[in-house]
Amino acid sequence: MAESTQMEVEIATVAVPLPVKPIFKPLKAHEMSDGKVQFRKLPVPPNRYSPLKKAWLDIYTPVYDQMKIDIRMNLKSRKVELKTRADTPDVSNLQKSADFVHAFMLGFDIPDAISLLRMDELYVESFEIKDVKTLKGEHLSRAIGRLSGKGGKTKFAIENSTKTRIVIADTRIHILGAFTSIKVARSSLCSLIMGSPAGKVYSKLRSVSARLAE
């Protein structure tokens, strides 16, 4: 009786080998969408048609060669068309490329917009002056002047201290950067729209940028 219980204990303690862990290769972009091609179409504003023509090769090369996304300009519909290929390594490359082209359409320079392809934490935020304060006529013109400053001095100061890029297109403002940087830059621009003098905004920026650097 004692021997049989001992045998049972020994049988129970024998380790059962685990099955081999399966190794799954990462799915490619066309496999994720069941072999279907994914598209993005971006309309070209009339004022960006000529700059797009001049900078086409600078846009085409990183999108086609690095991101492995097909890109073409549809002259009939005046839209930039993007689509995934069989060798597209990641499905997110299509959206990154669309963001890059869209940033160029908004007025950002290619060296600034191309950072959207290389860094994940960057994005573009847009707002209008009337979202902050309803201004008309001379008051609106003065607000736009305050945002840029003499020779763009104020805009450059905000860009350099917050590590962002700002485009002021009439009454629309576009900011490219990381989440916290955009928040600080937008706060400074809103203060200027509300009528704060540039000196006050500079001093506030210095203290905030020093806090961000820590």
Side-chain angles (χ1 to χ4, degrees):
M1 184 74 181
E3 281 178 15
S4 64
T5 52
Q6 196 177 356
M7 274 178 70
E8 280 172 18
V9 170
E10 280 176 9
I11 290 160
T13 53
V14 172
V16 180
L18 290 167
V20 181
K21 191 178 177 183
I23 298 163
F24 297 112
K25 287 182 180 178
L27 290 173
K28 288 189 176 177
H30 72 286
E31 291 172 333
M32 279 186 187
S33 54
D34 300 325
K36 290 175 189 171
V37 174
Q38 291 193 38
F39 282 95
R40 290 284 187 284
K41 290 182 183 181
L42 299 151
V44 181
N47 65 314
R48 297 301 289 168
Y49 198 67
S50 294
L52 180 69
K53 235 178 185 175
K54 286 177 189 170
W56 179 250
L57 265 179
D58 296 328
I59 294 168
Y60 178 88
T61 309
V63 171
Y64 187 82
D65 294 342
Q66 293 168 26
M67 306 306 281
K68 304 275 189 265
I69 296 286
D70 278 341
I71 178 170
R72 72 168 188 178
M73 175 67 197
N74 190 327
L75 295 168
K76 203 174 181 182
S77 63
R78 287 211 167 190
K79 286 180 181 177
V80 174
E81 296 176 353
L82 301 154
K83 69 168 188 173
T84 53
R85 301 189 332 221
D87 62 336
T88 304
D90 191 356
V91 76
S92 67
N93 283 11
L94 181 64
Q95 189 55 50
K96 280 182 185 176
S97 302
D99 290 341
F100 162 58
V101 176
H102 179 62
F104 178 78
M105 300 300 180
L106 292 176
F108 291 99
D109 294 331
I110 284 177
D112 299 329
I114 211 163
S115 58
L116 288 162
L117 297 178
R118 293 174 185 152
M119 297 168 83
D120 291 334
E121 66 271 14
L122 298 183
Y123 72 104
V124 177
E125 187 177 307
S126 304
F127 67 98
E128 286 199 45
I129 289 173
K130 68 178 181 187
D131 297 340
V132 182
K133 192 179 183 183
T134 308
L135 297 167
K136 287 175 185 175
E138 294 265 318
H139 299 291
L140 182 61
S141 305
R142 277 200 293 272
I144 295 166
R146 275 199 304 276
L147 292 173
S148 294
K150 192 179 179 181
K153 185 184 162 189
T154 309
K155 183 173 85 84
F156 293 139
I158 295 169
E159 283 181 342
N160 294 333
S161 56
T162 58
K163 294 189 179 105
T164 55
R165 286 291 172 267
I166 299 162
V167 168
I168 299 164
D170 195 25
T171 60
R172 286 191 73 79
I173 298 159
H174 313 289
I175 312 167
L176 186 152
F179 178 75
T180 48
S181 305
I182 287 176
K183 199 177 172 186
V184 174
R186 184 173 174 152
S187 170
S188 303
L189 291 167
C190 289
S191 300
L192 288 165
I193 292 165
M194 293 299 284
S196 293
K200 198 174 180 183
V201 173
Y202 290 156
S203 58
K204 195 179 174 185
L205 262 177
R206 271 195 292 272
S207 62
V208 171
S209 54
R211 214 165 43 238
L212 282 172
E214 283 172 3

